[in-house]
Amino acid sequence: MTDKPALKLKRLQDMTVNGKRVLIRVDYNVPMKGSKIEDNARIRETLKTLEYLIAEGGKIVLIAHLGRPKGKVEAKYSLKPVAEELAKLLKKPVAFAADCVGPVAEKAVAALKAGDVLLLENLRFHAEEEANDAAFAKALAKNADLFIQDAFGALHRAHASTAGVTRHLSGAVGFLVQRELEFLDRVIGNPTRPFLAIIGGAKVSDKLAVLDKLLDRVDALLIGGAMAYTFLAAQGINIGKSLLEKDQIDAAKAIIEKAYNKKVECLLPADHLIVREIKADSPASVSQAMAIPSDMIGVDIGPHTIEFFQEHIAKAKTIFWNGPMGIFEMPAFAQGSLAVAKAMSEATGTGAITIVGGGDSLAVLAKTGLAAKMSHCSTGGGASLELLEGKVLPGLAALAS
Ligand code: AMP
């Protein structure tokens, strides 16, 4: 990006890996139901890096976390089912070691031959991982000759496996991280215009810094979801009983003013789907205009808003979307989010670059099967937003030479 120093990062393809023990940090924090993996997308995303390393004859040692076991061994957070799923996807055996450091891990690593794959148990079974403990990082590094960072979703955290370990091993970024940076750093840093950002979701406070930075880059900003109500309230518009972050009203005013001064179109919903109470089967109606009656709650953008959001999407050449337009978890209030997803997929078809980040937006795509029709779906919600804010991600800074 233009306002932060470019990091000099080595790439996986710049390293010689043949016969070497390669420690790879991956993001296998997959949704689980009992010991069943509900969605293996995060595992599939790493296959390109792994297949390359297998073909190049590396001895592959995978490290990852699952859930929040808070430094204690808990069977439900074991990565063993992930090793089994990975073996199916790679169509070759994947060894598993019941600890990520110490004699159990060392023995399993010593048994590896060129092209073999080993997954070590959950890093977060040790509290030292999140504490970025120096001795723990050294113990992880002991099992390898090289380090590959391919966990984009963990790059905004300075943990032993993302930062500490790089003090002991020379490292590079894998294909997944390269692809994320290609889209989020290069494309958004130097976008084909018009560049449109669509931001939704509930928490204004979480996304203010991103909105502020985006205004320096985009040509138009569409705000939907519960966030929009704080912006409408900041303009003195009645929002009824809709979600409001009162303490963010001044910040919302400042964003609107900045957009005006920079001549960036900042568009808020012109109508809303409204209900008397938030229940999946609540009868919903459409508000007459921007204002919401005092006893009603906005739960999605309205049909007129959907129409002009679609028009803006169709005109844009680069589109970034983060955050749902309504309470999409309830099907009756998902229309706005689905319409944005559909319009974006059509824009991809006409040559626009379309980028979707954040777990909820990806969940909307999963419902529609439209993920494959986007130019890029970011695997890291937090990391992608921090990158857009112009922050240097600790996991990348640690790797940079
Ligand atoms: P965030 O974590 O800030 O991205 O917010 C995502 C959440 O925003 C989702 O769980 C949505 O249900 C919620 N959301 C979106 N629109 C609304 C709305 N109009 N009222 C309440 N919650 C909403």
Side-chain angles (χ1 to χ4, degrees):
M1 291 217 169
T2 45
D3 56 354
K4 74 171 193 232
L7 293 175
K8 267 183 116 181
L9 294 166
K10 276 205 188 112
R11 300 169 312 159
L12 168 58
Q13 54 273 45
D14 302 329
M15 315 289 270
T16 308
V17 298
N18 190 284
K20 299 214 171 111
R21 298 168 304 161
V22 188
L23 188 71
I24 314 177
R25 176 61 160 106
V26 284
D27 180 2
Y28 285 164
N29 193 22
V30 291
M32 304 281 298
K33 211 172 205 171
S35 61
K36 239 183 101 72
I37 296 166
E38 282 202 298
D39 179 4
N40 67 4
R42 285 190 163 154
I43 308 175
R44 282 188 278 114
E45 297 276 359
T46 63
L47 293 180
K48 190 173 169 207
T49 291
L50 299 184
E51 280 160 358
Y52 172 87
L53 280 166
I54 292 166
E56 292 289 310
K59 297 176 179 175
I60 300 165
V61 183
L62 294 158
I63 47 173
H65 78 273
L66 177 64
R68 295 173 189 271
K70 303 214 174 96
K72 283 200 211 82
V73 177
E74 266 192 81
K76 70 172 173 175
Y77 293 123
S78 172
L79 282 168
K80 189 135 202 292
V82 174
E84 287 156 15
E85 183 68 16
L86 180 60
K88 272 189 222 153
L89 292 168
L90 282 174
K91 299 188 183 71
K92 70 179 265 131
V94 171
F96 180 74
D99 200 353
C100 60
V101 287
V104 174
E106 284 160 26
K107 196 170 160 213
V109 173
L112 291 176
K113 292 195 240 7
D116 282 354
V117 183
L118 163 71
L119 174 63
L120 303 180
E121 183 57 288
N122 197 340
L123 290 158
R124 292 193 185 170
F125 283 175
H126 296 265
E128 294 89 340
E129 156 65 358
E130 290 184 83
N132 194 7
D133 178 83
F136 182 72
K138 201 169 174 187
L140 284 174
K142 198 175 164 196
N143 289 319
D145 306 302
L146 292 172
F147 175 65
I148 300 296
Q149 175 55 270
D150 222 14
F152 182 73
L155 285 180
H156 59 311
R157 310 266 182 239
H159 292 164
S161 69
T162 58
V165 75
T166 64
R167 275 186 230 122
H168 306 284
L169 294 171
S170 87
V173 286
F175 293 126
L176 183 155
V177 169
Q178 288 175 39
R179 189 172 142 75
E180 291 276 8
L181 295 179
E182 158 83 4
F183 276 93
L184 294 165
D185 223 15
R186 190 182 66 76
V187 175
I188 290 189
N190 186 18
T192 311
R193 296 189 178 273
F195 178 15
L196 170 71
I198 309 160
I199 306 290
K203 280 201 209 81
V204 185
S205 42
D206 273 9
K207 292 178 190 169
L208 265 179
V210 181
L211 288 176
D212 189 70
K213 286 285 175 202
L214 278 174
L215 285 177
D216 296 331
R217 310 208 162 92
V218 298
D219 302 298
L221 176 65
L222 307 181
I223 299 178
M227 290 229 320
Y229 308 124
T230 301
F231 283 85
L232 290 170
Q235 296 191 304
I237 292 162
N238 191 359
I239 56 159
K241 292 197 288 177
S242 309
L243 208 63
L244 169 69
E245 277 184 74
K246 253 201 189 127
D247 57 345
Q248 299 297 327
I249 286 186
D250 285 343
K253 273 187 194 155
I255 293 281
I256 293 169
E257 206 173 294
K258 180 169 174 180
Y260 179 80
N261 290 333
K262 294 197 81 110
K263 300 192 171 53
V264 172
E265 270 190 288
C266 179
L267 301 172
L268 296 168
D271 61 350
H272 319 269
L273 201 65
I274 52 176
V275 294
R276 221 168 276 282
E277 58 178 327
I278 298 178
K279 279 204 309 201
D281 56 355
S282 280
S285 53
V286 176
S287 68
Q288 290 302 310
M290 266 189 170
I292 295 175
S294 303
D295 58 340
M296 301 294 276
I297 308 164
V299 287
D300 196 4
I301 53 175
H304 180 50
T305 307
I306 289 181
E307 218 171 280
F308 77 75
F309 275 22
Q310 282 167 334
E311 281 164 18
H312 271 83
I313 292 169
K315 279 193 298 192
K317 285 279 168 279
T318 305
I319 308 157
F320 173 77
W321 176 32
N322 178 295
M325 297 291 103
I327 308 180
F328 76 100
E329 296 92 339
M330 298 180 185
F333 314 140
Q335 290 314 310
S337 304
L338 296 176
V340 165
K342 187 158 174 288
M344 281 184 71
S345 72
E346 285 162 9
T348 319
T350 61
I353 302 275
T354 49
I355 302 170
V356 183
D360 287 320
S361 307
L362 294 184
V364 174
L365 293 187
K367 277 181 193 222
T368 57
L370 288 173
K373 296 214 165 135
M374 302 296 164
S375 310
H376 182 62
C377 293
S378 178
T379 51
S384 65
L385 286 180
E386 290 200 12
L387 206 58
L388 290 177
E389 275 174 52
K391 285 191 185 161
V392 176
L393 302 179
L396 287 183
L399 262 187
S401 52

